[in-house]
């Protein structure tokens, strides 16, 4: 017998709660993978377009390999059936790749991540406007706390001389990531791995005309391959699986784990020290995210307890 319980105005099954927990794990791990972007961008000495071109080829191969491994004989049928939602996801993912890496390349990692930290609120707004998805009270509370952390982080960046190009690219990244989250949530039954692989190759196609792949060193090539596999292919794959199991606003909130972690890794390895305001605001964002996850885990345990009785 399928156990149900009432949560607010919704009837939630135990299976749905277990799927939510799995989705939380996948999306959180994708954020951890994405948080290594600053490390790779700072370690690689090649120009931006060359990095994006080479990384896109590697990432596309990695995601397509995973797709064909999972789907096997169904893979070509799925590719032939790709329609509008897959195309939209491809375009939004490509734009987020180019703008995201570009923002870190042209301004400080902390500045780029402070702007990107607004993605949960942007996603909740986009989801409400276009698919009518209302965030629950827990998400709203966690988003409010995270917003306080963002305000604290922003307070230390009002007078710095960071590149406006980098900040503008960070804003574009925020919008496109929000749009991608909503598309994936609305069309959760549409396989999105092929779209993620195509987006990596589309990124390579767009940047090919400005890249100089024959000029990169062996060390940079190795780092770019690792960049494509670890940061991009793994991150995209985990997010593709996880975002289909949680509301769009929750997925965006979890990916905000990337915000404090990305400058933290760069600070530890390259001594690119964030401002005091970022060091104070970052933990507030983390507290909101982990608090949100903890509440959902406790809710899952409550469902299990109800089932046991």
């Amino acid at each position: 017998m399928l156990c149900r319980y009432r949560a607010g105005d919704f009837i939630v099954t135990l299976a749905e709660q277990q799927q939510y927990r799995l989705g939380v794990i996948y999306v959180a791990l994708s954020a951890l993978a994405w948080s290594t972007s600053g490390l790779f961008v700072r370690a690689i000495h090649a120009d931006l377009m060359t990095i994006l071109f080479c990384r896109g080829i590697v990432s596309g191969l990695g995601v397509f390999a995973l797709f064909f491994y999972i789907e096997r004989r169904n893979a070509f049928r799925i590719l032939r059936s790709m329609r509008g939602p897959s195309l939209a996801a491809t375009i939004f993912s490509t734009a987020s790749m180019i703008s995201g890496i570009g923002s870190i390349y042209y301004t400080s990692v902390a500045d780029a991540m402070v702007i990107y930290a607004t993605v949960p609120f942007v996603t909740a707004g986009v989801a409400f406007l276009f698919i009518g998805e209302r965030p629950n009270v827990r998400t709203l509370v966690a988003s409010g706390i995270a917003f306080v952390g963002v305000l604290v982080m922003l307070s230390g960046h009002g007078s710095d001389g960071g590149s406006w190009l980098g900040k503008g690219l960070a804003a574009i990244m925020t919008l496109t990531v929000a749009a991608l989250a909503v598309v994936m949530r609305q069309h959760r039954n549409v396989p999105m791995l092929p779209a993620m692989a195509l987006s990596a190759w589309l990124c390579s196609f767009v940047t090919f005309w400005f890249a100089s792949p024959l000029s990169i060193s062996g060390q940079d090539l190795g780092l770019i391959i690792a960049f494509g596999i670890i940061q991009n292919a793994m991150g995209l794959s985990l997010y593709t699986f996880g975002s289909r199991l949680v509301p769009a606003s929750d997925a965006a909130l979890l990916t905000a784990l990337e915000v404090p972690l990305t400058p933290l890794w760069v600070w530890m390895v390259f001594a690119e020290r964030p401002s005091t305001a970022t060091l104070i605001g970052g933990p507030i964002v983390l507290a909101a995210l982990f608090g949100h996850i903890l509440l959902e885990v406790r809710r899952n345990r409550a469902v299990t307890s109800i089932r046991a009785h």
Side-chain angles (χ1 to χ4, degrees):
M1 179 177 177
L2 189 62
C3 176
R4 291 176 171 266
Y5 82 105
R6 186 174 295 276
D9 295 328
F10 301 95
I11 299 295
V12 183
T13 67
L14 177 62
E16 288 168 344
Q17 288 302 302
Q18 291 171 337
Q19 282 195 331
Y20 182 92
R21 183 186 297 184
L22 188 61
V24 165
I25 293 171
Y26 281 153
V27 176
L29 287 175
S30 75
L32 181 61
W34 284 336
S35 73
T36 62
S37 59
L39 287 176
F40 285 111
V41 172
R42 292 293 181 264
I44 298 169
H45 297 97
D47 63 274
L48 175 62
M49 293 301 172
T50 301
I51 293 173
L52 287 169
F53 169 73
C54 296
R55 190 191 76 141
I57 293 175
V58 174
S59 177
L61 286 171
V63 178
F64 258 131
L66 177 63
F67 167 67
F68 278 99
Y69 174 77
I70 293 172
E71 299 296 342
R72 303 209 164 114
R73 293 183 179 179
N74 292 325
F76 289 104
R77 178 183 60 78
I78 292 172
L79 289 174
R80 288 194 297 270
S81 67
M82 291 177 67
R83 296 293 184 269
S86 298
L87 178 61
T90 299
I91 293 172
F92 288 136
S93 178
T94 300
S96 68
M97 286 182 198
I98 295 174
S99 58
I101 301 304
S103 66
I104 294 174
Y105 192 87
Y106 286 113
T107 192
S108 73
V109 174
D111 277 352
M113 290 299 103
V114 163
I115 295 169
Y116 178 65
T118 62
V119 73
F121 322 117
V122 176
T123 302
V126 172
F128 176 69
L129 288 173
F130 289 95
I131 65 175
E133 182 176 279
R134 294 178 179 272
N136 60 41
V137 175
R138 292 177 303 278
T139 300
L140 289 174
V141 171
S143 296
I145 296 172
F147 183 63
V148 172
V150 171
L151 289 179
V152 173
M153 295 166 76
L154 282 172
S155 69
H157 293 268
S159 60
D160 82 42
S163 164
W164 282 106
L165 173 59
K167 293 175 182 177
L169 289 170
I172 294 173
M173 168 180 63
T174 302
L175 288 170
T176 52
V177 168
L180 177 61
V182 172
V183 168
M184 286 185 165
R185 182 62 179 172
Q186 185 180 18
H187 302 282
R188 69 191 75 179
N189 295 322
V190 176
M192 288 293 181
L193 269 183
M196 297 301 97
L198 287 174
S199 72
W201 283 352
L202 179 58
C203 179
S204 293
F205 176 77
V206 170
T207 57
F208 165 76
W209 317 101
F210 314 98
S212 304
L214 298 180
S215 66
I216 61 176
S217 66
Q219 178 180 344
D220 276 355
L221 180 60
L223 287 170
I224 290 173
I225 291 173
F227 195 4
I229 294 173
I230 297 172
Q231 190 270 345
N232 200 233
M234 283 181 57
L236 282 175
S237 299
L238 289 165
Y239 183 77
T240 300
F241 291 133
S243 64
R244 295 168 63 184
L245 304 177
V246 298
S249 54
D250 284 19
L253 190 62
L254 288 164
T255 56
L257 281 166
E258 182 184 357
V259 173
L261 291 178
T262 304
L264 175 64
W265 306 145
V266 177
W267 176 33
M268 293 172 62
V269 177
F270 295 101
E272 184 177 295
R273 190 180 188 279
S275 68
T276 302
T278 300
L279 293 175
I280 296 172
I284 295 176
V285 177
L286 276 175
L289 294 170
F290 283 120
H292 180 69
I293 294 170
L294 178 61
L295 285 174
E296 293 302 333
V297 169
R298 287 174 125 183
R299 191 166 66 125
N300 287 340
R301 288 176 180 172
V303 179
T304 303
S305 177
I306 291 173
R307 187 186 186 190
H309 288 84

